[in-house]
Coordinates of all heavy atoms in Angstrom, one line a residue:
V696 N 38.8 74.9 191.3 CA 38.4 76.1 192.1 C 39.5 77.2 192.0 O 39.2 78.4 191.8 CB 38.2 75.8 193.5 CG1 38.1 77.0 194.4 CG2 36.9 75.0 193.7
M697 N 40.8 76.7 191.9 CA 41.9 77.6 192.0 C 42.1 78.4 190.7 O 42.4 79.6 190.7 CB 43.1 76.8 192.3 CG 43.1 76.2 193.8 SD 44.4 75.0 194.1 CE 43.9 73.6 193.1
N698 N 42.0 77.8 189.6 CA 42.3 78.4 188.3 C 41.1 78.8 187.4 O 41.3 78.9 186.2 CB 43.4 77.6 187.5 CG 42.8 76.3 187.0 OD1 41.8 75.8 187.5 ND2 43.5 75.7 186.1
A699 N 39.9 78.7 188.0 CA 38.7 78.9 187.1 C 38.8 80.3 186.4 O 38.2 80.4 185.3 CB 37.5 78.9 188.0
F700 N 39.4 81.3 186.9 CA 39.6 82.6 186.2 C 40.8 82.6 185.5 O 40.9 83.1 184.3 CB 39.6 83.7 187.3 CG 38.2 84.0 187.9 CD1 38.1 83.9 189.3 CD2 37.1 84.3 187.2 CE1 36.8 84.1 189.9 CE2 35.8 84.5 187.8 CZ 35.7 84.4 189.2
H701 N 41.9 82.2 186.1 CA 43.3 82.3 185.5 C 43.3 81.5 184.1 O 44.1 81.9 183.2 CB 44.3 81.7 186.5 CG 45.7 81.6 185.9 ND1 46.5 82.7 185.6 CD2 46.4 80.5 185.4 CE1 47.6 82.3 185.1 NE2 47.6 81.0 184.9
I702 N 42.5 80.5 184.0 CA 42.6 79.7 182.8 C 42.4 80.5 181.5 O 42.9 80.2 180.4 CB 41.6 78.5 182.8 CG1 42.0 77.4 181.8 CG2 40.2 78.9 182.6 CD1 43.2 76.6 182.3
L703 N 41.6 81.6 181.6 CA 41.3 82.5 180.5 C 42.6 83.2 180.1 O 42.9 83.3 178.9 CB 40.3 83.5 180.8 CG 38.9 82.9 181.2 CD1 37.9 84.0 181.7 CD2 38.3 82.1 180.1
D704 N 43.3 83.8 181.1 CA 44.6 84.4 180.8 C 45.6 83.5 180.3 O 46.4 83.8 179.4 CB 45.1 85.1 182.0 CG 44.2 86.3 182.5 OD1 43.6 86.9 181.6 OD2 44.1 86.5 183.7
F705 N 45.6 82.3 180.8 CA 46.6 81.2 180.3 C 46.4 80.9 178.9 O 47.3 80.9 178.0 CB 46.4 80.0 181.2 CG 47.3 78.8 180.8 CD1 48.7 79.1 180.5 CD2 46.9 77.6 180.8 CE1 49.5 78.0 180.1 CE2 47.7 76.5 180.4 CZ 49.0 76.7 180.1
Y706 N 45.1 80.7 178.5 CA 44.7 80.5 177.1 C 45.2 81.6 176.2 O 45.8 81.3 175.1 CB 43.3 80.2 176.9 CG 42.9 79.9 175.4 CD1 43.2 78.7 174.9 CD2 42.4 80.9 174.6 CE1 42.9 78.5 173.5 CE2 42.1 80.7 173.3 CZ 42.4 79.5 172.7 OH 42.0 79.3 171.4
K707 N 44.9 82.8 176.5 CA 45.3 83.9 175.7 C 46.8 84.0 175.6 O 47.3 84.2 174.4 CB 44.9 85.2 176.4 CG 43.3 85.5 176.5 CD 43.1 86.8 177.2 CE 41.5 87.0 177.4 NZ 41.2 88.2 178.2
W708 N 47.6 83.7 176.6 CA 49.0 83.8 176.5 C 49.5 82.7 175.6 O 50.3 82.9 174.7 CB 49.7 83.5 177.9 CG 51.2 83.6 177.8 CD1 52.0 84.6 177.9 CD2 52.0 82.4 177.5 NE1 53.3 84.3 177.6 CE2 53.4 82.9 177.4 CE3 51.8 81.1 177.2 CZ2 54.5 82.1 177.1 CZ3 52.9 80.2 177.0 CH2 54.2 80.7 176.9
C709 N 48.9 81.5 175.6 CA 49.3 80.3 174.8 C 49.1 80.7 173.3 O 50.0 80.3 172.5 CB 48.5 79.1 175.2 SG 49.0 78.3 176.7
V710 N 48.0 81.3 173.0 CA 47.7 81.6 171.6 C 48.6 82.9 171.2 O 49.2 82.8 170.1 CB 46.2 81.9 171.4 CG1 45.9 82.4 170.0 CG2 45.5 80.6 171.7
D711 N 48.6 83.9 172.0 CA 49.2 85.1 171.5 C 50.7 85.0 171.4 O 51.4 85.6 170.5 CB 49.0 86.2 172.6 CG 47.5 86.7 172.6 OD1 46.8 86.3 171.6 OD2 47.0 87.3 173.5
S712 N 51.4 84.1 172.2 CA 52.8 83.8 172.2 C 53.1 82.7 171.2 O 54.3 82.4 171.0 CB 53.3 83.5 173.5 OG 52.8 82.2 173.9
K713 N 52.1 82.2 170.5 CA 52.3 81.1 169.5 C 52.9 79.9 170.2 O 53.6 79.1 169.5 CB 53.1 81.6 168.3 CG 52.4 82.7 167.5 CD 53.2 83.1 166.2 CE 52.4 84.0 165.4 NZ 51.8 85.1 166.0
F714 N 52.7 79.7 171.5 CA 53.0 78.5 172.2 C 52.3 77.3 171.6 O 52.8 76.2 171.5 CB 52.7 78.7 173.6 CG 53.4 77.7 174.5 CD1 54.8 77.7 174.8 CD2 52.6 76.7 175.2 CE1 55.3 76.7 175.6 CE2 53.2 75.8 176.0 CZ 54.5 75.8 176.3
I715 N 51.0 77.5 171.2 CA 50.2 76.5 170.6 C 49.3 77.2 169.5 O 49.2 78.4 169.5 CB 49.2 75.8 171.6 CG1 48.3 76.8 172.3 CG2 50.0 74.9 172.5 CD1 47.2 76.2 173.1
L716 N 48.7 76.4 168.6 CA 47.7 76.9 167.8 C 46.3 77.1 168.6 O 46.2 76.4 169.6 CB 47.4 76.0 166.6 CG 48.6 75.8 165.6 CD1 48.2 74.7 164.6 CD2 48.9 77.0 165.0
P717 N 45.4 77.9 168.1 CA 44.3 78.1 169.0 C 43.4 76.9 169.3 O 42.8 76.9 170.4 CB 43.4 79.1 168.0 CG 44.4 79.8 167.3 CD 45.5 78.8 167.0
T718 N 43.5 75.9 168.5 CA 42.6 74.7 168.7 C 43.4 73.6 169.5 O 42.9 72.6 169.8 CB 42.1 74.1 167.5 OG1 43.2 73.9 166.5 CG2 41.1 75.0 166.8
D719 N 44.7 73.8 169.8 CA 45.5 72.9 170.5 C 45.5 73.1 172.0 O 46.5 73.2 172.7 CB 47.0 72.9 170.0 CG 47.1 72.5 168.6 OD1 46.2 71.8 168.1 OD2 48.1 72.8 167.9
F720 N 44.2 73.1 172.5 CA 44.0 73.4 173.9 C 42.7 72.6 174.3 O 41.7 72.9 173.8 CB 43.7 74.9 174.1 CG 43.8 75.4 175.5 CD1 45.1 75.8 176.1 CD2 42.7 75.6 176.3 CE1 45.2 76.2 177.4 CE2 42.8 76.1 177.6 CZ 44.0 76.4 178.1

């Protein structure tokens, strides 16, 4: 319930910052 929206921004940051590859999520 808490991060149902935030998870989208989190994924974007992970990919855009090259923290992970797009499929490593």
Side-chain angles (χ1 to χ4, degrees):
V696 167
M697 296 169 285
N698 67 342
F700 292 121
H701 174 73
I702 200 70
L703 301 175
D704 294 328
F705 179 44
Y706 177 77
K707 291 177 185 178
W708 180 89
C709 287
V710 174
D711 293 346
S712 66
K713 295 182 170 51
F714 194 71
I715 57 168
L716 296 175
T718 53
D719 294 339
F720 195 85

